[in-house]
Amino acid sequence: MKALAHNLRLVADVGGTHTRIACFDPSSACLQSVREYENRHYAGFKEVLKAWFAELQGEQPVEACIAVAAALQGDEARMSNISWHLRGTALAQSFKLQRVKLINDFQAIAFAVPWLCPDDCVSLQHGAAKPNPSRLAVFGPGTGLGGAVLEQGLMPSTRFSNQPLTPSSAHRSTKSASVVACEPGQMDLAPHGELQGALWAVLQQEHSRIYAELLLSGPGLRRIYAALCIAEGCVAEDLPAAEISARALAGSDALCVTTLAVFCDLLGAASANFVVATGTFEALYLAGGILPKILPLLEHSSFLERFQERGPLRGHLAGTGIAVIRHPQPGLLGAAHVSLD
């Protein structure tokens, strides 16, 4: 079969809100038949796959790599932000795939880093990044808050300077890469300053523990906004996270502007905690669906100040290269290049 010759791979990025699926052809290194689905319309991932296969034209994939926003247990993934349960062997049998591998969604993003181009990233801090960082972190908010650490000898030219990609980096490989998925969303957060202290007093009336994902996520933006309204004695509007961000970007709502300022400040502190805990001082890639959309606010926020505030480690963190990934499908890109062996 022609499909076997091409060894087409189904790749998926299963988040808490959306699922993205595509077919990767290694002969052209292209993602094809890219589709995005809203999870709320489907009972489970199997139903989403059925919808994708129904739309697929041309050759069928023979293997799959599925990135899931969940902590994996062997061949299974139970998602916390949506009540979906995925099992690789069952999916392989249902869709006649020779091999199915489940990985964490931020593992997939980490595997994507060597394949990113300079235009896929925006630098926040050049730092003292080496041309080929051997150890780096990916971290960021979406429906939840994820992270991973990548170690690899062969890395792309740095995204934190104006150096172009070198010819040697044009032929990249993730075969020697080691990626560890992390669960930074459960790290505790601490308030900083009078305003955040007032917000914590409001939040603790409803939440016994203030952890990173509670605030550093799409739902977290809404929690910060609602708590801020209570602390300020205002009546909160029922705003989705996208609208809060839009008003903040437009400067049309002072409470929304403050909400995003608090969000970026807390993100700086949480990012530093992650880098310090994992020892990834060379490079940090910020990912997730929120940050590319609020990039102008992030660039002019207190993010870097809070990131560097770590006493004797300030110099180390000031030397960390930091970039925001703005590639539209880093999860799919990474899943396309993961070894299934």
Side-chain angles (χ1 to χ4, degrees), residues 145-317:
L145 180 70
V149 174
L150 181 146
E151 291 192 59
Q152 180 177 278
L154 175 63
M155 294 296 297
S157 294
T158 177
R159 308 288 178 253
F160 315 113
S161 70
N162 293 322
Q163 297 178 17
L165 287 173
T166 61
S168 61
S169 69
H171 303 285
R172 310 176 187 100
S173 172
T174 53
K175 290 183 179 179
S176 62
S178 172
V179 175
V180 177
C182 308
E183 290 296 329
Q186 293 303 313
M187 298 188 305
D188 286 338
L189 278 181
H192 177 260
E194 185 177 343
L195 174 60
Q196 291 182 22
L199 293 181
W200 252 244
V202 173
L203 289 164
Q204 286 174 330
Q205 294 176 19
E206 185 177 350
H207 305 281
S208 60
R209 185 171 72 92
I210 310 301
Y211 53 95
E213 188 173 279
L214 186 73
L215 303 182
L216 294 174
S217 59
L221 269 175
R222 300 187 69 184
R223 292 189 184 101
I224 295 172
Y225 171 76
L228 182 63
C229 289
I230 293 173
E232 296 289 332
C234 303
V235 177
E237 295 183 59
D238 185 16
L239 300 178
E243 179 62 21
I244 294 171
S245 298
R247 292 188 184 190
L249 286 164
S252 60
D253 187 316
L255 286 173
C256 291
V257 171
T258 303
T259 296
L260 267 294
V262 170
F263 181 88
C264 293
D265 187 87
L266 293 173
L267 181 67
S271 299
N273 289 342
F274 189 63
V275 167
V276 169
T278 56
T280 50
F281 292 102
E282 287 186 79
L284 169 66
Y285 284 78
L286 296 171
I290 295 175
L291 301 186
K293 298 173 184 175
I294 65 165
L295 193 54
L297 293 173
L298 183 64
E299 290 176 316
H300 295 93
S301 72
S302 59
F303 172 88
L304 285 179
E305 179 183 348
R306 294 285 282 125
F307 179 82
Q308 295 176 7
E309 282 183 352
R310 287 299 178 274
L313 293 178
R314 183 181 183 89
H316 289 77
L317 292 168

Side-chain angles (χ1 to χ4, degrees), residues 18-232:
H18 298 94
T19 291
R20 299 165 181 87
I21 306 177
C23 192
F24 178 71
D25 183 351
S27 66
S28 63
C30 291
L31 293 170
Q32 306 165 353
S33 302
V34 181
R35 300 286 187 275
E36 181 175 308
Y37 303 89
E38 286 191 57
N39 293 348
R40 63 189 178 91
H41 296 311
Y42 299 88
F45 177 66
K46 187 175 180 180
E47 285 66 34
V48 180
L49 265 188
K50 287 179 181 177
W52 183 81
F53 271 105
E55 295 182 80
L56 181 64
Q57 297 180 352
E59 299 170 284
Q60 300 283 310
V62 298
E63 62 184 24
C65 183
I66 300 168
V68 189
L72 272 62
Q73 293 183 318
D75 188 42
E76 299 187 38
R78 292 185 181 274
M79 302 179 70
S80 58
N81 290 314
I82 186 172
S83 57
W84 285 8
H85 177 206
L86 286 72
R87 201 155 57 88
T89 52
L91 291 169
Q93 292 170 1
S94 296
F95 296 96
K96 296 180 174 57
L97 297 164
Q98 294 177 0
R99 295 183 295 179
V100 173
K101 183 171 185 174
L102 302 185
I103 62 173
N104 174 266
D105 60 336
F106 267 76
Q107 274 185 294
I109 294 173
F111 276 116
V113 168
W115 304 88
L116 296 174
C117 297
D119 289 344
D120 292 329
C121 298
V122 176
S123 174
L124 294 182
Q125 176 171 277
H126 296 318
K130 299 176 182 178
N132 297 296
S134 60
R135 195 162 196 257
L136 57 86
V138 293
F139 179 76
T143 303
L145 180 70
V149 174
L150 181 146
E151 291 192 59
Q152 180 177 278
L154 175 63
M155 294 296 297
S157 294
T158 177
R159 308 288 178 253
F160 315 113
S161 70
N162 293 322
Q163 297 178 17
L165 287 173
T166 61
S168 61
S169 69
H171 303 285
R172 310 176 187 100
S173 172
T174 53
K175 290 183 179 179
S176 62
S178 172
V179 175
V180 177
C182 308
E183 290 296 329
Q186 293 303 313
M187 298 188 305
D188 286 338
L189 278 181
H192 177 260
E194 185 177 343
L195 174 60
Q196 291 182 22
L199 293 181
W200 252 244
V202 173
L203 289 164
Q204 286 174 330
Q205 294 176 19
E206 185 177 350
H207 305 281
S208 60
R209 185 171 72 92
I210 310 301
Y211 53 95
E213 188 173 279
L214 186 73
L215 303 182
L216 294 174
S217 59
L221 269 175
R222 300 187 69 184
R223 292 189 184 101
I224 295 172
Y225 171 76
L228 182 63
C229 289
I230 293 173
E232 296 289 332

